[in-house]
Amino acid sequence: MSSDPKSQAALKTALTEAARLTDAALESLLPLPAGYHARAQEAMRYAVFAGGKRLRPFLVLASSALFDVPQGRALRVGAAIEALHTYSLVHDDLPCMDDDDLRRGQPTTHKKFDEATAVLAGDALLTLAFEILADPATHPSAEVRCQLVALLARAGGSEGMIGGQMMDIDAPNQSHGPDEVILLQRMKTGALFEFACEAGAILGQRGPEDRERLRGYARDFGLAFQITDDLIDETSTAEAAGKAVGKDKDQGKATLVSIYGVDGARDQAEALARSAQDAVAIYGPAAAPLEALPWYLIGRES
Amino acid sequence: MSSDPKSQAALKTALTEAARLTDAALESLLPLPAGYHARAQEAMRYAVFAGGKRLRPFLVLASSALFDVPQGRALRVGAAIEALHTYSLVHDDLPCMDDDDLRRGQPTTHKKFDEATAVLAGDALLTLAFEILADPATHPSAEVRCQLVALLARAGGSEGMIGGQMMDIDAPNQSHGPDEVILLQRMKTGALFEFACEAGAILGQRGPEDRERLRGYARDFGLAFQITDDLIDETSTAEAAGKAVGKDKDQGKATLVSIYGVDGARDQAEALARSAQDAVAIYGPAAAPLEALPWYLIGRES
């Protein structure tokens, strides 16, 4: 069983609502541009409000809903992850990295402002993520807040997202097989998905079993998500995708699509979506959005 | 009264010992390069161990010593600040920012590696700073750890260090008077000094009076430090300073030296050093290193 149209419609509503709430939270948490240094804060806001699915905040909200976490707390954690995710996009787009002029059809931050401002705005978004988490408004328990800080730092650090980006930059120089491609994905994008899903259990002060189950869910759907990204990169047009496509192939990078072929990769994405869905079914009706999400993600076209 | 030769000799010994202990702490806290992403971690270590006075960790150790804070805790906070300080140097040296090829006589990180690796290594050092602070080994009280995370994030963020760097980059386009020059310094370098000094009082779980006193100390000596930097930039040779000099003048940036002249700036640095010394004299003999430090800093030649 995949996901029925009704669940998909409900999920779309939930995604839209989560994005709206996240944007409101970010609006109030991002500093207002003022003073001689206003340019950095304008660039922070430009990058954050350039669009985006707010998928990671949605995951925090959805996992928090399993454990009756007050929504305001989940939204702060979601805003922190989105700030960190946005910084990674701003830095990855820089000329010395992926050198992208467009993101979601808009000029990237260094094109809209300049490179120095983009570096600083990225640095400031990363820093802000931790400031948000450490604030007592995020959770009354300082132990919980410290766990969130430590886990986000690990997920976003040199053994997580940054390590994945480093590995990705070096990828054309390495002959990666499937294990390395999966490792790269798990570090570069998976670590943050895992944190977003685990965050609900942390905010809900649940034990290791729930935390590990949600991490497992994130691992499966995260890989399915990446395979879908690679399928879009392989088969879509730039117009439909709203971004440059075919870059991995041009750069000679191995992906699960180049290794297993389009059909093989599609089968694998479906198997992973099913596994993710099964992992959270135990939580009953509250898990419906998390169950529907993997199917939604592997069905998208951009 | 300035500082006598005996105090200065004792301070030099204390600075050397603090640097040794800080390097040992950083050695154990920085990740060991391994795997496909090892290059990022090699660059982190290269940047951190390229030298440096370890002045900020010294400040944490010296302020912690006023309140009987176990040295191991102070060293972790010192290592976190040094990681954050190092990231700021790595990013500031980038071609799109200050475009420096040398730092402390050695190739800057992007010259030794490449720009992408330098951006990522900087990001990872910033992230690591918060991971270190949030770890229970830093302090048994999670409240204390959260305060450290929140304050470091604010000191290093868009209203602190990053805002100061943004303002500095824009400085040649602005006609700054003394107030703006002082504001820039206070944001760009002062905020981190203030955090380093306040950290001892936070680790010692002291009240607002001690915290404010140590911030005041940091404000005064931080400005004295910056004036001395500008004096070196104005009057020294690149060989003696171990870095490029005369850049501010070349870029038409206002400094307190360009505004008040060499003698006026030197007088001001001395008055600030005296004020800083007076602020901490209340703590008795334990404050000796903090009392001697401003005189040492304004007497240096590089």
Side-chain angles (χ1 to χ4, degrees), chain B residues 209-271:
Chain B
E209 206 177 316
D210 287 312
R211 289 172 59 164
E212 177 48 36
R213 185 178 294 121
L214 285 160
R215 279 204 304 273
Y217 166 84
R219 267 196 298 279
D220 287 342
F221 105 77
L223 187 53
F225 179 80
Q226 181 62 45
I227 292 173
T228 309
D229 248 12
D230 293 339
L231 283 164
I232 291 167
D233 191 67
E234 177 84 20
T235 62
S236 183
T237 63
E239 198 181 355
K243 59 186 172 187
V245 296
K247 288 189 76 169
D248 288 343
K249 201 193 261 180
D250 293 348
Q251 294 174 14
K253 282 185 191 174
T255 69
L256 291 183
V257 179
S258 72
I259 292 170
Y260 293 125
V262 169
D263 288 344
R266 209 162 262 157
D267 287 350
Q268 211 175 341
E270 284 198 20

Side-chain angles (χ1 to χ4, degrees), chain A residues 37 41 91 123 153 158-159 163, chain B residues 37 41 91 123 127 158-159 163:
Chain A
H37 56 293
Q41 297 164 332
H91 281 189
D123 293 342
S158 72
E159 292 292 342
Chain B
H37 57 294
Q41 297 164 330
H91 282 190
D123 293 342
T127 307
S158 72
E159 293 291 344

Side-chain angles (χ1 to χ4, degrees), chain A residues 11-296:
Chain A
L11 172 66
K12 275 187 200 169
T13 306
L15 279 166
T16 306
E17 178 64 1
R20 192 184 65 75
L21 292 167
T22 299
D23 283 0
L26 285 163
E27 175 59 45
S28 74
L29 289 167
L30 282 163
L32 287 169
Y36 293 101
H37 56 293
R39 188 173 173 82
Q41 297 164 332
E42 284 161 14
M44 290 167 81
R45 286 179 167 263
Y46 175 79
V48 165
F49 294 119
K53 292 183 272 286
R54 311 301 189 206
L55 180 55
R56 291 155 194 80
F58 170 82
L59 289 167
V60 182
L61 286 169
S63 63
S64 293
L66 303 178
F67 309 114
D68 296 320
V69 173
Q71 197 182 52
R73 295 179 192 169
L75 277 171
R76 289 183 61 92
V77 177
I81 299 184
E82 196 66 11
L84 189 138
H85 171 60
T86 304
Y87 117 75
S88 76
L89 301 181
V90 172
H91 281 189
D92 286 1
D93 285 339
L94 287 169
C96 65
M97 299 259 242
D98 298 348
D99 195 13
D100 278 314
D101 291 351
L102 290 178
R103 171 160 305 268
R104 299 172 191 132
Q106 303 292 321
T108 46
T109 306
H110 66 274
K111 295 302 279 185
K112 178 78 178 179
F113 293 81
D114 55 74
E115 279 183 57
T117 304
V119 170
L120 290 174
D123 293 342
L125 285 169
L126 170 55
T127 307
L128 179 66
F130 296 108
E131 187 181 344
I132 294 170
L133 293 182
D135 190 293
T138 298
H139 198 283
S141 159
E143 285 289 355
V144 167
R145 302 195 308 272
C146 277
Q147 278 186 39
L148 292 168
V149 169
L151 281 175
L152 182 60
R154 229 166 292 153
S158 72
E159 292 292 342
M161 186 184 73
I162 292 171
Q165 174 68 0
M166 186 79 251
M167 190 175 168
D168 198 17
I169 288 174
D170 265 356
N173 307 320
Q174 320 270 356
S175 53
H176 286 327
D179 288 353
E180 287 79 20
V181 170
I182 290 170
L183 174 68
L184 195 164
Q185 180 279 323
R186 199 177 163 193
M187 292 173 77
K188 187 175 171 179
T189 56
L192 216 50
F193 284 138
E194 287 185 47
F195 173 77
C197 292
E198 190 179 359
I202 297 169
L203 286 167
Q205 296 179 277
R206 308 292 293 212
E209 206 178 316
D210 288 311
R211 290 172 59 164
E212 177 50 36
R213 185 179 294 120
L214 286 159
R215 279 204 306 272
Y217 166 84
R219 267 196 299 278
D220 286 343
F221 105 75
L223 187 53
F225 179 80
Q226 181 63 44
I227 292 173
T228 308
D229 248 12
D230 292 339
L231 283 164
I232 292 168
D233 190 68
E234 176 85 20
T235 62
S236 183
T237 63
E239 200 182 355
K243 60 185 171 187
V245 295
K247 288 189 77 169
D248 288 344
K249 200 193 263 181
D250 293 348
Q251 293 174 13
K253 282 185 191 176
T255 70
L256 291 183
V257 179
S258 72
I259 292 170
Y260 293 124
V262 169
D263 289 343
R266 208 161 261 157
D267 288 349
Q268 210 174 342
E270 283 198 20
L272 288 161
R274 186 158 293 114
S275 165
Q277 178 181 15
D278 291 348
V280 291
I282 190 175
Y283 296 112
L290 288 175
E291 290 183 66
L293 183 72
W295 302 106
Y296 172 75

Side-chain angles (χ1 to χ4, degrees), chain B residues 18 56-67 74 196-197 200 214 217 286-287 289-290 293:
Chain B
R56 292 154 193 81
F58 171 81
L59 289 167
V60 182
L61 286 169
S63 63
S64 294
L66 304 178
F67 310 114
C197 292
L214 285 160
Y217 166 84
L290 289 176
L293 183 71

Side-chain angles (χ1 to χ4, degrees), chain B residues 170-213:
Chain B
D170 264 356
N173 306 319
Q174 321 269 357
S175 52
H176 286 327
D179 288 353
E180 288 77 21
V181 171
I182 290 170
L183 174 67
L184 194 164
Q185 180 278 323
R186 199 175 163 192
M187 292 173 77
K188 187 174 171 179
T189 57
L192 216 50
F193 284 139
E194 287 186 46
F195 173 77
C197 292
E198 191 179 358
I202 297 170
L203 286 167
Q205 296 178 279
R206 308 292 292 213
E209 206 177 316
D210 287 312
R211 289 172 59 164
E212 177 48 36
R213 185 178 294 121

